[in-house]
Amino acid sequence: MIRTLVVASLLLAGCSPADTPDPAPRSTAPSDKSAASACSRVAFSIEKNNPPVEDVSTAMLAIESTDPGVREAGKKLGPAAKEAGDLWVADDPAVDKGPANQRVADARQGLLTACTDLFGAYPWPFVRGVSPTPR
């Protein structure tokens, strides 16, 4: 009996957590493709400071999401992006674009925060790029 315990303890002493095989990697593909696409796009939009006209399609993707936070953020981004996009396209120097641009920036940040709530801290495994900071 003692010999069995000694042998068992020697065998166990030789095993360490580093010797155990790693579990199979989880899939990095999210189940909500609309949210993943909208989140990727808003992250790039913030990083590259893209014109607001590009945010309209991002908002449409977000609205198709099954996540209520992403969906609501998309509903806020859509009108803000359309308004700022219209001003951007018109390029009227007499019009102050600042307030509309601020609404787009706030809506982008809101969507990014909803994405962080859904997928965790950026960068997400399905996106490559520089990390914008959620509020």
Side-chain angles (χ1 to χ4, degrees):
M1 175 76 166
I2 293 176
R3 185 183 313 173
T4 305
L5 290 174
V6 169
V7 170
S9 65
L10 289 173
L11 287 174
L12 289 175
C15 293
S16 68
D19 295 336
T20 59
D22 290 333
R26 289 186 0 201
S27 172
T28 59
S31 60
D32 190 342
K33 302 288 186 203
S34 294
S37 183
C39 292
S40 298
R41 291 177 62 128
V42 78
F44 287 128
S45 190
I46 291 169
E47 176 188 340
K48 302 291 186 192
N49 196 24
N50 288 342
V53 292
E54 296 180 18
D55 290 313
V56 173
S57 57
T58 301
M60 291 188 320
L61 285 167
I63 291 169
E64 293 173 1
S65 172
T66 58
D67 181 73
V70 171
R71 190 171 44 249
E72 286 305 310
K75 288 178 182 179
K76 291 177 183 173
L77 179 60
K82 178 164 180 353
E83 176 192 9
D86 288 347
L87 292 175
W88 186 79
V89 169
D91 198 24
D92 184 351
V95 175
D96 180 12
K97 298 174 193 89
N101 289 337
Q102 184 60 51
R103 284 189 286 279
V104 169
D106 292 343
R108 283 177 177 173
Q109 195 65 51
L111 179 54
L112 182 65
T113 299
C115 293
T116 301
D117 291 344
L118 177 61
F119 295 120
Y122 187 89
W124 306 297
F126 53 89
V127 177
R128 288 183 228 129
V130 178
S131 174
T133 305
R135 282 194 248 185

